[in-house]
PDB file of all heavy atoms in Angstrom:
ATOM      1  N   PHE A  33      12.014 -14.532  17.434  1.00 90.00           N
ATOM      2  CA  PHE A  33      11.313 -14.016  16.250  1.00 90.00           C
ATOM      3  C   PHE A  33      10.023 -14.748  15.923  1.00 90.00           C
ATOM      4  O   PHE A  33       9.294 -14.333  15.037  1.00 90.00           O
ATOM      5  CB  PHE A  33      12.245 -14.040  15.037  1.00 90.00           C
ATOM      6  CG  PHE A  33      13.341 -13.029  15.137  1.00 90.00           C
ATOM      7  CD1 PHE A  33      14.603 -13.385  15.562  1.00 90.00           C
ATOM      8  CD2 PHE A  33      13.087 -11.701  14.846  1.00 90.00           C
ATOM      9  CE1 PHE A  33      15.604 -12.445  15.683  1.00 90.00           C
ATOM     10  CE2 PHE A  33      14.080 -10.749  14.970  1.00 90.00           C
ATOM     11  CZ  PHE A  33      15.338 -11.114  15.384  1.00 90.00           C
ATOM     12  N   SER A  41       1.515 -10.880  20.281  1.00 88.00           N
ATOM     13  CA  SER A  41       0.345 -10.463  19.507  1.00 88.00           C
ATOM     14  C   SER A  41      -0.925 -11.026  20.134  1.00 88.00           C
ATOM     15  O   SER A  41      -1.976 -10.399  20.065  1.00 88.00           O
ATOM     16  CB  SER A  41       0.481 -10.880  18.040  1.00 88.00           C
ATOM     17  OG  SER A  41       0.035 -12.193  17.874  1.00 88.00           O
ATOM     18  N   GLY A  51      -0.262   2.178  18.218  1.00 73.00           N
ATOM     19  CA  GLY A  51       1.145   2.060  17.846  1.00 73.00           C
ATOM     20  C   GLY A  51       2.038   3.055  18.557  1.00 73.00           C
ATOM     21  O   GLY A  51       3.245   2.882  18.580  1.00 73.00           O
ATOM     22  N   THR A  52       1.457   4.122  19.124  1.00 70.00           N
ATOM     23  CA  THR A  52       2.297   5.112  19.802  1.00 70.00           C
ATOM     24  C   THR A  52       1.883   5.327  21.255  1.00 70.00           C
ATOM     25  O   THR A  52       2.716   5.279  22.142  1.00 70.00           O
ATOM     26  CB  THR A  52       2.277   6.462  19.072  1.00 70.00           C
ATOM     27  OG1 THR A  52       0.945   6.747  18.691  1.00 70.00           O
ATOM     28  CG2 THR A  52       3.171   6.452  17.868  1.00 70.00           C
ATOM     29  N   ARG A 132       0.583  -7.164 -13.796  1.00 94.00           N
ATOM     30  CA  ARG A 132      -0.141  -5.881 -13.884  1.00 94.00           C
ATOM     31  C   ARG A 132      -0.052  -5.346 -15.304  1.00 94.00           C
ATOM     32  O   ARG A 132      -1.004  -4.781 -15.826  1.00 94.00           O
ATOM     33  CB  ARG A 132       0.440  -4.859 -12.900  1.00 94.00           C
ATOM     34  CG  ARG A 132       0.105  -5.137 -11.451  1.00 94.00           C
ATOM     35  CD  ARG A 132       0.472  -3.961 -10.560  1.00 94.00           C
ATOM     36  NE  ARG A 132      -0.141  -2.739 -11.023  1.00 94.00           N
ATOM     37  CZ  ARG A 132      -1.421  -2.415 -10.825  1.00 94.00           C
ATOM     38  NH1 ARG A 132      -2.177  -3.216 -10.132  1.00 94.00           N
ATOM     39  NH2 ARG A 132      -1.913  -1.295 -11.306  1.00 94.00           N
ATOM     40  N   ASN A 136      -3.152  -4.821 -17.951  1.00 94.00           N
ATOM     41  CA  ASN A 136      -3.499  -3.414 -18.202  1.00 94.00           C
ATOM     42  C   ASN A 136      -4.521  -3.313 -19.334  1.00 94.00           C
ATOM     43  O   ASN A 136      -4.331  -3.883 -20.398  1.00 94.00           O
ATOM     44  CB  ASN A 136      -2.236  -2.627 -18.567  1.00 94.00           C
ATOM     45  CG  ASN A 136      -2.533  -1.156 -18.783  1.00 94.00           C
ATOM     46  OD1 ASN A 136      -3.217  -0.793 -19.739  1.00 94.00           O
ATOM     47  ND2 ASN A 136      -2.045  -0.319 -17.903  1.00 94.00           N
ATOM     48  N   PRO A 137      -5.637  -2.596 -19.074  1.00 92.00           N
ATOM     49  CA  PRO A 137      -6.706  -2.573 -20.072  1.00 92.00           C
ATOM     50  C   PRO A 137      -6.306  -1.920 -21.398  1.00 92.00           C
ATOM     51  O   PRO A 137      -6.896  -2.233 -22.428  1.00 92.00           O
ATOM     52  CB  PRO A 137      -7.830  -1.788 -19.402  1.00 92.00           C
ATOM     53  CG  PRO A 137      -7.317  -1.306 -18.109  1.00 92.00           C
ATOM     54  CD  PRO A 137      -5.983  -1.894 -17.839  1.00 92.00           C
ATOM     55  N   TYR A 138      -5.330  -1.015 -21.383  1.00 92.00           N
ATOM     56  CA  TYR A 138      -4.994  -0.288 -22.614  1.00 92.00           C
ATOM     57  C   TYR A 138      -3.743  -0.814 -23.307  1.00 92.00           C
ATOM     58  O   TYR A 138      -3.696  -0.903 -24.518  1.00 92.00           O
ATOM     59  CB  TYR A 138      -4.832   1.204 -22.312  1.00 92.00           C
ATOM     60  CG  TYR A 138      -6.149   1.848 -21.994  1.00 92.00           C
ATOM     61  CD1 TYR A 138      -6.630   1.882 -20.693  1.00 92.00           C
ATOM     62  CD2 TYR A 138      -6.953   2.385 -23.006  1.00 92.00           C
ATOM     63  CE1 TYR A 138      -7.858   2.440 -20.397  1.00 92.00           C
ATOM     64  CE2 TYR A 138      -8.177   2.942 -22.718  1.00 92.00           C
ATOM     65  CZ  TYR A 138      -8.631   2.970 -21.418  1.00 92.00           C
ATOM     66  OH  TYR A 138      -9.854   3.512 -21.125  1.00 92.00           O
ATOM     67  N   GLY A 160      -9.554  -3.938 -12.302  1.00 91.00           N
ATOM     68  CA  GLY A 160     -10.284  -2.776 -11.802  1.00 91.00           C
ATOM     69  C   GLY A 160     -11.776  -3.002 -11.650  1.00 91.00           C
ATOM     70  O   GLY A 160     -12.475  -2.153 -11.141  1.00 91.00           O
ATOM     71  N   SER A 162     -14.934  -4.993 -10.004  1.00 90.00           N
ATOM     72  CA  SER A 162     -15.233  -5.846  -8.853  1.00 90.00           C
ATOM     73  C   SER A 162     -15.512  -7.278  -9.282  1.00 90.00           C
ATOM     74  O   SER A 162     -15.181  -8.234  -8.594  1.00 90.00           O
ATOM     75  CB  SER A 162     -16.466  -5.323  -8.117  1.00 90.00           C
ATOM     76  OG  SER A 162     -16.231  -4.047  -7.645  1.00 90.00           O
ATOM     77  N   VAL A 243       0.191  -6.656  -4.468  1.00 94.00           N
ATOM     78  CA  VAL A 243       0.752  -5.978  -5.631  1.00 94.00           C
ATOM     79  C   VAL A 243      -0.304  -5.797  -6.723  1.00 94.00           C
ATOM     80  O   VAL A 243      -0.382  -4.754  -7.356  1.00 94.00           O
ATOM     81  CB  VAL A 243       1.956  -6.776  -6.194  1.00 94.00           C
ATOM     82  CG1 VAL A 243       2.477  -6.131  -7.454  1.00 94.00           C
ATOM     83  CG2 VAL A 243       3.046  -6.864  -5.163  1.00 94.00           C
ATOM     84  N   PRO A 249     -11.119  -3.593  -6.029  1.00 92.00           N
ATOM     85  CA  PRO A 249     -11.802  -2.351  -5.651  1.00 92.00           C
ATOM     86  C   PRO A 249     -12.851  -2.592  -4.565  1.00 92.00           C
ATOM     87  O   PRO A 249     -13.581  -3.579  -4.656  1.00 92.00           O
ATOM     88  CB  PRO A 249     -12.491  -1.908  -6.937  1.00 92.00           C
ATOM     89  CG  PRO A 249     -12.144  -2.900  -7.979  1.00 92.00           C
ATOM     90  CD  PRO A 249     -11.480  -4.061  -7.348  1.00 92.00           C
ATOM     91  N   ASN A 250     -12.888  -1.676  -3.602  1.00 91.00           N
ATOM     92  CA  ASN A 250     -13.848  -1.764  -2.510  1.00 91.00           C
ATOM     93  C   ASN A 250     -13.902  -3.164  -1.904  1.00 91.00           C
ATOM     94  O   ASN A 250     -14.951  -3.778  -1.852  1.00 91.00           O
ATOM     95  CB  ASN A 250     -15.239  -1.312  -2.991  1.00 91.00           C
ATOM     96  CG  ASN A 250     -16.246  -1.253  -1.862  1.00 91.00           C
ATOM     97  OD1 ASN A 250     -15.871  -1.109  -0.699  1.00 91.00           O
ATOM     98  ND2 ASN A 250     -17.514  -1.372  -2.191  1.00 91.00           N
ATOM     99  N   PHE A 268      -3.504   1.895  11.750  1.00 84.00           N
ATOM    100  CA  PHE A 268      -2.770   1.838  13.011  1.00 84.00           C
ATOM    101  C   PHE A 268      -3.630   1.358  14.175  1.00 84.00           C
ATOM    102  O   PHE A 268      -3.520   1.860  15.284  1.00 84.00           O
ATOM    103  CB  PHE A 268      -2.121   3.196  13.341  1.00 84.00           C
ATOM    104  CG  PHE A 268      -1.092   3.581  12.342  1.00 84.00           C
ATOM    105  CD1 PHE A 268      -1.271   4.713  11.549  1.00 84.00           C
ATOM    106  CD2 PHE A 268       0.040   2.809  12.145  1.00 84.00           C
ATOM    107  CE1 PHE A 268      -0.333   5.047  10.587  1.00 84.00           C
ATOM    108  CE2 PHE A 268       0.973   3.150  11.193  1.00 84.00           C
ATOM    109  CZ  PHE A 268       0.779   4.265  10.418  1.00 84.00           C
TER     110      PHE A 268
ATOM    111  N   ARG B   2       4.143  -9.316  11.731  1.00 47.00           N
ATOM    112  CA  ARG B   2       4.536  -9.134  13.115  1.00 47.00           C
ATOM    113  C   ARG B   2       6.056  -9.170  13.222  1.00 47.00           C
ATOM    114  O   ARG B   2       6.666  -8.370  13.885  1.00 47.00           O
ATOM    115  CB  ARG B   2       3.945 -10.260  13.959  1.00 47.00           C
ATOM    116  CG  ARG B   2       2.638  -9.866  14.606  1.00 47.00           C
ATOM    117  CD  ARG B   2       2.074 -11.044  15.326  1.00 47.00           C
ATOM    118  NE  ARG B   2       1.039 -11.652  14.554  1.00 47.00           N
ATOM    119  CZ  ARG B   2       1.013 -12.922  14.201  1.00 47.00           C
ATOM    120  NH1 ARG B   2       1.973 -13.736  14.535  1.00 47.00           N
ATOM    121  NH2 ARG B   2       0.018 -13.382  13.505  1.00 47.00           N
ATOM    122  N   LEU B   3       6.586 -10.153  12.474  1.00 48.00           N
ATOM    123  CA  LEU B   3       8.018 -10.361  12.490  1.00 48.00           C
ATOM    124  C   LEU B   3       8.737  -9.104  12.025  1.00 48.00           C
ATOM    125  O   LEU B   3       9.725  -8.680  12.599  1.00 48.00           O
ATOM    126  CB  LEU B   3       8.315 -11.507  11.538  1.00 48.00           C
ATOM    127  CG  LEU B   3       9.568 -12.276  11.859  1.00 48.00           C
ATOM    128  CD1 LEU B   3       9.193 -13.374  12.849  1.00 48.00           C
ATOM    129  CD2 LEU B   3      10.139 -12.893  10.613  1.00 48.00           C
ATOM    130  N   ASN B  72       6.737   4.827  13.037  1.00 86.00           N
ATOM    131  CA  ASN B  72       5.761   4.406  14.034  1.00 86.00           C
ATOM    132  C   ASN B  72       6.325   3.377  14.980  1.00 86.00           C
ATOM    133  O   ASN B  72       6.075   3.417  16.185  1.00 86.00           O
ATOM    134  CB  ASN B  72       4.541   3.800  13.333  1.00 86.00           C
ATOM    135  CG  ASN B  72       3.338   4.683  13.472  1.00 86.00           C
ATOM    136  OD1 ASN B  72       2.896   4.961  14.574  1.00 86.00           O
ATOM    137  ND2 ASN B  72       2.828   5.153  12.352  1.00 86.00           N
ATOM    138  N   ALA B  76       6.813   3.768  18.881  1.00 82.00           N
ATOM    139  CA  ALA B  76       6.135   2.829  19.776  1.00 82.00           C
ATOM    140  C   ALA B  76       7.116   2.179  20.733  1.00 82.00           C
ATOM    141  O   ALA B  76       6.791   1.922  21.888  1.00 82.00           O
ATOM    142  CB  ALA B  76       5.422   1.767  18.953  1.00 82.00           C
ATOM    143  N   LYS B 184      -5.989   2.427  -8.211  1.00 92.00           N
ATOM    144  CA  LYS B 184      -5.686   1.197  -7.446  1.00 92.00           C
ATOM    145  C   LYS B 184      -5.346   1.526  -5.998  1.00 92.00           C
ATOM    146  O   LYS B 184      -5.774   0.852  -5.084  1.00 92.00           O
ATOM    147  CB  LYS B 184      -4.518   0.461  -8.101  1.00 92.00           C
ATOM    148  CG  LYS B 184      -4.174  -0.837  -7.399  1.00 92.00           C
ATOM    149  CD  LYS B 184      -2.686  -1.145  -7.453  1.00 92.00           C
ATOM    150  CE  LYS B 184      -2.355  -2.254  -6.488  1.00 92.00           C
ATOM    151  NZ  LYS B 184      -0.938  -2.268  -6.140  1.00 92.00           N
ATOM    152  N   PRO B 239     -11.062   5.982 -17.476  1.00 96.00           N
ATOM    153  CA  PRO B 239     -10.600   4.859 -18.299  1.00 96.00           C
ATOM    154  C   PRO B 239     -11.230   3.530 -17.868  1.00 96.00           C
ATOM    155  O   PRO B 239     -11.731   3.410 -16.754  1.00 96.00           O
ATOM    156  CB  PRO B 239      -9.088   4.824 -18.029  1.00 96.00           C
ATOM    157  CG  PRO B 239      -8.750   6.053 -17.297  1.00 96.00           C
ATOM    158  CD  PRO B 239      -9.991   6.602 -16.700  1.00 96.00           C
ATOM    159  N   VAL B 240     -11.176   2.559 -18.747  1.00 93.00           N
ATOM    160  CA  VAL B 240     -11.646   1.212 -18.419  1.00 93.00           C
ATOM    161  C   VAL B 240     -10.758   0.644 -17.309  1.00 93.00           C
ATOM    162  O   VAL B 240      -9.539   0.770 -17.355  1.00 93.00           O
ATOM    163  CB  VAL B 240     -11.537   0.310 -19.671  1.00 93.00           C
ATOM    164  CG1 VAL B 240     -11.900  -1.131 -19.321  1.00 93.00           C
ATOM    165  CG2 VAL B 240     -12.415   0.839 -20.777  1.00 93.00           C
ATOM    166  N   GLY B 244      -8.248  -0.550 -10.988  1.00 93.00           N
ATOM    167  CA  GLY B 244      -7.152  -1.502 -10.878  1.00 93.00           C
ATOM    168  C   GLY B 244      -5.846  -0.945 -11.411  1.00 93.00           C
ATOM    169  O   GLY B 244      -4.801  -1.579 -11.324  1.00 93.00           O
ATOM    170  N   SER B 246      -2.663   1.753 -11.673  1.00 92.00           N
ATOM    171  CA  SER B 246      -1.906   2.625 -10.784  1.00 92.00           C
ATOM    172  C   SER B 246      -1.882   4.033 -11.368  1.00 92.00           C
ATOM    173  O   SER B 246      -2.237   4.242 -12.530  1.00 92.00           O
ATOM    174  CB  SER B 246      -0.490   2.106 -10.633  1.00 92.00           C
ATOM    175  OG  SER B 246       0.162   2.168 -11.878  1.00 92.00           O
ATOM    176  N   GLU B 249       0.170   4.138 -14.473  1.00 91.00           N
ATOM    177  CA  GLU B 249      -0.490   3.635 -15.681  1.00 91.00           C
ATOM    178  C   GLU B 249      -1.444   4.689 -16.246  1.00 91.00           C
ATOM    179  O   GLU B 249      -1.543   4.865 -17.460  1.00 91.00           O
ATOM    180  CB  GLU B 249      -1.245   2.337 -15.365  1.00 91.00           C
ATOM    181  CG  GLU B 249      -0.323   1.137 -15.184  1.00 91.00           C
ATOM    182  CD  GLU B 249      -1.060  -0.087 -14.655  1.00 91.00           C
ATOM    183  OE1 GLU B 249      -1.432  -0.105 -13.473  1.00 91.00           O
ATOM    184  OE2 GLU B 249      -1.279  -1.024 -15.440  1.00 91.00           O
ATOM    185  N   GLN B 393     -13.972   3.968  -3.915  1.00 95.00           N
ATOM    186  CA  GLN B 393     -13.821   2.934  -4.952  1.00 95.00           C
ATOM    187  C   GLN B 393     -15.178   2.302  -5.264  1.00 95.00           C
ATOM    188  O   GLN B 393     -15.503   2.031  -6.416  1.00 95.00           O
ATOM    189  CB  GLN B 393     -12.857   1.840  -4.482  1.00 95.00           C
ATOM    190  CG  GLN B 393     -11.392   2.188  -4.678  1.00 95.00           C
ATOM    191  CD  GLN B 393     -10.492   0.974  -4.489  1.00 95.00           C
ATOM    192  OE1 GLN B 393     -10.856   0.009  -3.831  1.00 95.00           O
ATOM    193  NE2 GLN B 393      -9.306   1.023  -5.055  1.00 95.00           N
ATOM    194  N   ASP B 397     -17.357   2.289  -8.817  1.00 92.00           N
ATOM    195  CA  ASP B 397     -17.721   1.100  -9.604  1.00 92.00           C
ATOM    196  C   ASP B 397     -19.184   0.697  -9.418  1.00 92.00           C
ATOM    197  O   ASP B 397     -19.618  -0.346  -9.880  1.00 92.00           O
ATOM    198  CB  ASP B 397     -16.730  -0.056  -9.388  1.00 92.00           C
ATOM    199  CG  ASP B 397     -16.977  -0.833  -8.109  1.00 92.00           C
ATOM    200  OD1 ASP B 397     -17.897  -0.461  -7.362  1.00 92.00           O
ATOM    201  OD2 ASP B 397     -16.254  -1.811  -7.874  1.00 92.00           O
ATOM    202  N   SER B 399     -20.866  -0.153  -6.751  1.00 91.00           N
ATOM    203  CA  SER B 399     -21.256  -1.152  -5.750  1.00 91.00           C
ATOM    204  C   SER B 399     -21.669  -0.527  -4.418  1.00 91.00           C
ATOM    205  O   SER B 399     -22.200  -1.218  -3.565  1.00 91.00           O
ATOM    206  CB  SER B 399     -20.130  -2.173  -5.545  1.00 91.00           C
ATOM    207  OG  SER B 399     -18.973  -1.547  -5.035  1.00 91.00           O
ATOM    208  N   VAL B 400     -21.419   0.764  -4.232  1.00 94.00           N
ATOM    209  CA  VAL B 400     -21.876   1.443  -3.014  1.00 94.00           C
ATOM    210  C   VAL B 400     -22.715   2.649  -3.440  1.00 94.00           C
ATOM    211  O   VAL B 400     -22.294   3.425  -4.304  1.00 94.00           O
ATOM    212  CB  VAL B 400     -20.680   1.915  -2.147  1.00 94.00           C
ATOM    213  CG1 VAL B 400     -21.165   2.701  -0.940  1.00 94.00           C
ATOM    214  CG2 VAL B 400     -19.840   0.729  -1.697  1.00 94.00           C
TER     215      VAL B 400
END
Side-chain angles (χ1 to χ4, degrees):
Chain A
F33 290 99
S41 85
T52 43
R132 287 191 55 78
N136 182 293
Y138 289 89
S162 299
V243 176
N250 186 24
F268 296 116
Chain B
R2 265 176 259 125
L3 207 88
N72 249 300
K184 182 213 167 201
V240 175
S246 64
E249 286 171 288
Q393 278 193 337
D397 80 358
S399 63
V400 176

